Amino acid sequence: MKKTIDEHAERFSEAASTYDDEQDSEAYHACARHVVDHAAPTARETVLDLGTGTGAIAFELTSTADCVIGRDISTGMLDEARMKASAENIENIKFAEGRFREPNLDSDTDVDIVTSNFAMHHLSDDEKREAITVISALEPDRFVLGDVMFFGSPDPEEPFYSPSVDDPATVGILTDALTDVGMAVTEVEFIHEQVGVIVAEQQ
Ligand SMILES: C[S@@+](CC[C@H](N)C(=O)[O-])C[C@H]1O[C@@H](n2cnc3c(N)ncnc32)[C@H](O)[C@@H]1O
């Protein structure tokens, strides 16, 4: 991790009010679309969206899921998400503070699907492994991870990320971490040489 959790939280809280309007890259929107499509919850399923931010993925899933739980470290991003839920009168969505390695769930919460979009790259590779262990322990049917990830060597002239604050992994490191906790990687979607979606299922 190149910044502490508090530093990341503060950075995102400062940017929260303009975050949605600033997501103008094709790769971000394509990645979000693939995460939503692969998550595909049914009306009986609960989704946990980690690093939910202002709820880009979480809101999309409310139309088909029973319930969507959004967790994030940034109070500013969560406030934006809650305002949208209230303005749109969406009741099957719940936002609260929580982090990848401590999602802050009630002990009786059964999670069917875990999603995460453009958030895990804030963790170091060791922390991503710890987060994947925590996610796997929730025993979801599948984990859909959309993120900045390297398919080859990233072009230093065109980083899709900010090297000073972001810490993306290679696709190989992510797939190894998922298979090491016993999940089966069933899809790897190439969106851009630095952006992809990985679907991992419980075996
Ligand atoms: C680029 S935003 C992505 C938000 C949303 N998922 C989307 O697709 O627009 C990254 C989010 O990850 C959150 N985040 C960063 N580190 C985190 C951690 N360790 N645990 C949970 N959320 C984290 C940030 O606060 C921020 O809201």
Side-chain angles (χ1 to χ4, degrees), residues 106-176:
D106 293 338
S107 56
D108 60 351
T109 303
D110 280 331
V111 173
D112 300 294
I113 299 164
V114 177
T115 55
S116 186
N117 191 53
F118 269 73
M120 203 185 247
H121 65 271
H122 297 115
L123 279 60
S124 70
D125 287 355
D126 283 347
E127 291 164 339
K128 291 183 192 88
R129 275 191 173 272
E130 288 172 30
I132 285 169
T133 302
V134 169
I135 290 165
S136 165
L138 296 172
E139 299 185 341
D141 292 340
R142 62 191 165 284
F143 171 37
V144 185
L145 173 66
D147 205 354
V148 184
M149 57 181 76
F150 300 148
F151 284 84
S153 302
D155 180 348
E157 299 301 316
E158 281 190 49
F160 199 86
Y161 63 104
S162 304
S164 59
V165 291
D166 298 332
D167 210 349
T170 63
V171 172
I173 284 175
L174 293 168
T175 55
D176 281 354

Side-chain angles (χ1 to χ4, degrees), residues 2 7 15 25 27-28 35 48 57 69 92 103 119 122 134 153 161 166 176 197:
K2 293 183 177 170
E7 286 168 334
S25 87
Y28 168 84
V35 170
L48 170 65
I57 301 299
I69 299 167
N92 63 338
H122 297 115
V134 169
S153 302
Y161 63 104
D166 298 332
D176 281 354
V197 176

